[in-house]
Amino acid sequence: MRINILNKVRKDESGATAIEYGLIAALVSVAAIGALTAMGGSLNTMFSAVSTALKTAVGGS
């Protein structure tokens, strides 16, 4: 009877699958954070340029 229980536990891979999905989600999160951080500086520069251009077009200083 103990051998049957041990065999069932050994063959059960649902925990491994959950861990794999967790690792994939963590990797995607790290990649997204890295990409957004890298784009942050260029987006700030672009919006500053647009803001300056709009102020100039409207006649503000």
Side-chain angles (χ1 to χ4, degrees), residues 13-58:
E13 295 182 3
S14 61
T17 303
I19 291 172
E20 290 169 356
Y21 283 131
L23 290 173
I24 291 170
L27 181 62
V28 169
S29 299
V30 168
I33 290 170
L36 292 175
T37 301
M39 284 183 6
S42 61
L43 285 175
N44 189 22
T45 303
M46 182 184 66
F47 282 121
S48 294
V50 169
S51 173
T52 303
L54 286 173
K55 286 180 184 177
T56 305
V58 186

